[in-house]
Amino acid sequence: MTHKIILDTDPGIDDAMAILFAEAHPAIDLLAITTVFGNATIENGTHNALWLKQKYVMKADVAKGAAAPLLREPVGPTTVVHGPTGFGDVRAGEVSLSADPRPAWQYIVETVKAHPGEITLVTIGPLTNLALALQAAPEIAGLVREVVVMGGAFGVNGHRGNVTPYAEANIHDDPEAADMVFTADWPVVIIGLDVTQQSVFSGAYLDALRDEAGEPGRFLWDVSRFYLRFYSARIGMEGCHVHDPSAIAYVIDPSLFTLREGPVRVITQGPAIGHTLQKFDGNSHPHDEWAACPAQRVGVAVRDQALLALYRDTLIAWGKRR
């Protein structure tokens, strides 16, 4: 079965890992890459996406999206993690391609309407573009096949926040957008830190990709150098967590993950801004801002070795075909 996806992304080192994964796997039909602020500025992120499209001769459209959150003050690009332009030590070169003339939210709306019931929206950055699409055309909630989000942290497996004690970066960057997306009446799967931090691309794993996956493997090795220095300095890890590629892995093989069902809300103000909270019991309460919201699914466990094998095998096979 082939999955038509629009990949909403803030490229981004691990975003590049996810983009190549989506392009490489035969079960994914990557229709478009829509960009959003986050790991890089919207200008740098869009340039990075166009450069990858040109470099790997992708048929996917690229549409430029939101430059800032819906309401909160921007926190700025995460240059300490992803480098000055998003790809660490690698600088995307000149690009002869142009982005689609439509803003990302409009591209999403029109493409979903053109393919009712067929499009999976995979978002691995702040959720601003999806929120803008919902604001402009709420009816798309009934037309999307599924929404897969890399974001959030629910305290499962000991994992909470990565930019505050309780907030994950993508949600923290635009909590109002995330709350809008999670409470909309469409099927959402949230692949958060609870599972993405259970899988690790070790230094040896990335070395093997460099040696076995052809040019894509060498690029992934190059682009990961900055990222691995950050992980080593920050938490003493000789490798990196598998954040964004985990969302693509879910689309390819949902059986890799165990999911928990229940409505999800996002804290939008105060010291816990960006904190994601799921109500996963049937208890009733006199005051319940979750009760009227649709149940969504949150990843709580992952078969990490199978996920790592899926990524490795996909990239090696793709590298050999190139």
Side-chain angles (χ1 to χ4, degrees):
M1 183 178 185
T2 302
H3 303 271
K4 293 178 179 172
I5 75 168
I6 295 174
L7 182 55
D8 193 67
T9 172
D10 54 339
I13 292 169
D14 59 332
D15 301 77
M17 295 171 171
I19 291 168
L20 265 59
F21 192 18
E23 177 68 13
H25 199 281
I28 299 288
D29 182 4
L30 181 58
L31 299 182
I33 299 166
T34 53
T35 61
V36 67
F37 73 95
N39 293 330
T41 64
I42 191 62
E43 291 78 18
N44 284 334
T46 304
H47 182 81
N48 289 344
L50 287 167
W51 182 70
L52 286 180
K53 173 179 176 170
Q54 178 174 281
K55 179 178 176 64
Y56 293 104
V57 198
M58 298 178 182
K59 65 177 180 60
D61 297 325
V62 174
K64 183 179 178 181
L70 295 179
L71 296 176
R72 75 162 300 172
E73 285 295 313
V75 299
T78 50
T79 54
V80 67
V81 183
H82 296 274
T85 60
F87 279 174
D89 301 324
V90 175
R91 291 295 185 103
E94 293 298 317
V95 173
S96 59
L97 307 175
S98 298
D100 189 277
R102 293 166 288 182
W105 70 262
Q106 184 180 355
Y107 184 97
I108 290 168
V109 168
E110 293 181 2
T111 306
V112 166
K113 287 184 173 182
H115 302 275
E118 298 181 18
I119 304 293
T120 297
L121 301 177
V122 182
T123 178
I124 56 177
L127 295 168
T128 316
N129 290 334
L130 271 66
L132 291 170
L134 279 171
Q135 286 180 330
E139 65 273 17
I140 68 170
L143 300 174
V144 166
R145 181 178 177 186
E146 191 170 50
V147 180
V148 178
V149 175
M150 189 277 122
F154 296 85
V156 181
N157 302 315
H159 303 302
R160 288 176 289 275
N162 62 356
V163 291
T164 81
Y166 290 97
E168 180 275 331
N170 290 337
I171 309 304
H172 184 260
D173 272 351
D174 196 340
E176 284 84 6
D179 193 57
M180 187 182 303
V181 169
F182 294 159
T183 58
D185 193 16
W186 54 8
V188 177
V189 173
I190 303 171
I191 303 296
L193 301 185
D194 314 271
V195 286
T196 68
Q197 290 187 340
Q198 295 292 100
S199 300
V200 175
F201 285 158
S202 67
Y205 179 100
L206 292 166
D207 288 350
L209 276 184
R210 174 198 60 198
D211 297 339
E212 299 172 20
E215 195 284 330
R218 292 189 291 275
F219 167 73
L220 289 172
W221 190 89
D222 288 341
V223 81
S224 68
R225 296 306 91 193
F226 190 98
Y227 207 40
L228 264 60
R229 291 199 301 274
F230 167 80
Y231 270 88
S232 178
R234 178 75 176 270
I235 60 175
M237 176 185 287
E238 296 306 315
C240 61
H241 293 129
V242 187
H243 292 306
D244 293 347
S246 291
I248 302 299
Y250 171 80
V251 177
I252 296 167
D253 184 2
S255 75
L256 293 170
F257 297 88
T258 302
L259 305 178
R260 185 180 71 188
E261 190 165 303
V264 175
R265 299 303 306 267
V266 180
I267 304 300
T268 56
Q269 296 180 28
I273 187 170
H275 186 19
T276 49
L277 294 164
Q278 184 184 39
K279 180 184 177 182
F280 51 89
D281 59 38
N283 296 338
S284 61
H285 304 270
H287 306 284
D288 192 339
E289 295 292 333
W290 284 257
C293 300
Q296 310 294 13
R297 293 177 293 164
V298 169
V300 295
V302 59
R303 294 192 292 120
D304 62 308
Q305 293 306 307
L307 187 154
L308 294 173
L310 174 65
Y311 191 90
R312 179 180 62 245
D313 293 348
T314 300
L315 268 292
I316 289 173
W318 188 48
K320 288 179 178 176
R321 295 196 304 267
R322 295 185 53 78

